[in-house]
Amino acid sequence: MRIGAHVDSTDPLAEAAARSADTVQFFLADPQGWKAPKPREDAEQLRTAEVDLYVHAPYVINVATLNNRIRIPSRKLLLGHANAATAIGAKGLIVHGGHVSAGDDLAVGFDNWRKTFAYAADSGGFGVPVLIENTAGGDNACARRLDALARLWDAIGDYEVGFCLDTCHAYAGGEDLLGLVDRVKAITGRIDLVHANNSKGAFNSGQDRHDNLGGGTIDPELVVAVIRAAGAPVVVETPGGVEGQTADIGFLRQQLGTASPAA
Ligand SMILES: [Zn+2]
């Protein structure tokens, strides 16, 4: 089982080595900005690396919104990131499920997701698996609770689309982790990546505040159970830099009985 961390994008392979990780996730542009990713000088090195790479799309992307001034640039930015992720041989591009504004019809948000995939198909396709991630907060989210996720998948499930399950977001979003993988797979048919994070916020708090696996409000054994059931690669998006994330990865390897790549 592949286990890694979300790391700084300057030298992701060095960050992987520092954590004995065989998987890394990083941003290709400012996560809070609208700038398209630039071609990377280390693209060839990244493409041929033993380390599996995942790209996280910027947080500003919201393809579901009814606001044209957000939705249209979001589509373009997502496609730009898909192309850049393809150029470095990434295994997937993770993007948050997004939301509509208060008072707006969530059904339109799901249809906007469908249009996003149609737009990408017209532009030659994403080129890399797009993994939609569940989110923690908001009353109008497309992928916070499973009832919404089911409606989202009704809209886009015919396209090639994957799912990234974040344990912090699920718990803080109000979904019980016990048996969650089966309930998700009944909707999506797949889980492509697990974001293994503990939560500083309480159950159903709606707070997106990650904690190290041994801290927080989630029983760490429940996170391990989710990973076992999902059978997917794992990325920790936990605090504490090299030290904190190495400890989290070590904890998971020990619990799951998987060896370190350096061992
Ligand atoms: Zn996440």
Side-chain angles (χ1 to χ4, degrees):
M1 176 171 290
R2 294 235 167 204
I3 303 177
H6 183 94
V7 300
D8 184 85
S9 62
T10 309
D11 190 348
L13 298 179
E15 302 288 350
R19 292 160 177 79
S20 297
D22 48 26
T23 301
V24 283
Q25 171 184 285
F26 48 98
F27 296 115
L28 288 174
D30 175 6
Q32 306 291 356
W34 290 97
K35 283 218 178 89
K38 294 197 196 92
R40 290 186 63 114
E41 284 175 13
D42 59 353
E44 176 65 23
Q45 199 193 349
L46 291 172
R47 242 188 340 260
T48 56
E50 297 282 322
V51 175
D52 281 353
L53 313 176
Y54 289 86
V55 170
H56 199 301
Y59 299 124
V60 293
I61 289 179
N62 182 8
V63 302
T65 179
L66 278 64
N67 182 343
N68 294 342
R69 292 169 64 188
I70 303 286
R71 187 179 69 257
I72 304 299
S74 288
R75 278 182 199 163
K76 286 189 183 141
L77 194 59
L78 185 61
L79 191 58
H81 272 74
N83 292 334
T86 304
I88 60 167
K91 299 275 182 200
L93 172 65
I94 294 93
V95 59
H96 285 182
H99 56 92
V100 300
S101 298
D104 284 342
D105 186 357
L106 199 47
V108 182
F110 298 130
D111 198 51
N112 284 338
W113 258 115
R114 183 191 60 76
K115 287 177 179 166
T116 298
F117 278 93
Y119 163 79
D122 285 345
S123 311
F126 280 120
V128 64
V130 169
L131 313 181
I132 298 179
E133 178 178 359
N134 63 312
T135 51
D139 292 327
N140 307 288
C142 296
R144 172 177 175 174
R145 301 229 177 79
L146 297 191
D147 53 344
L149 188 69
R151 294 174 67 195
L152 175 60
W153 240 256
D154 281 345
I156 61 171
D158 287 342
Y159 289 100
E160 178 62 34
V161 54
F163 187 70
C164 172
L165 177 62
D166 188 306
T167 54
C168 168
H169 297 177
Y171 184 82
E175 288 290 347
D176 195 342
L177 294 188
L178 201 64
L180 178 61
V181 165
D182 286 345
R183 298 199 301 283
V184 167
K185 280 188 176 171
I187 295 167
T188 63
R190 57 197 276 184
I191 292 175
D192 299 82
L193 185 68
V194 173
H195 281 171
N197 304 307
N198 211 313
S199 170
K200 286 187 177 23
F203 180 77
N204 205 22
S205 62
Q207 293 180 343
D208 185 354
R209 295 172 65 214
H210 298 188
D211 206 344
N212 295 99
L213 296 180
T217 57
I218 306 175
D219 177 352
E221 287 187 13
L222 267 178
V223 176
V224 173
V226 165
I227 295 168
R228 268 192 213 284
V234 179
V235 165
V236 303
E237 300 171 307
T238 50
V242 172
E243 200 182 330
Q245 293 184 337
T246 301
D248 285 332
I249 292 168
F251 169 77
L252 290 179
R253 286 217 175 95
Q254 184 220 335
Q255 293 291 310
L256 296 161
T258 57
S260 154

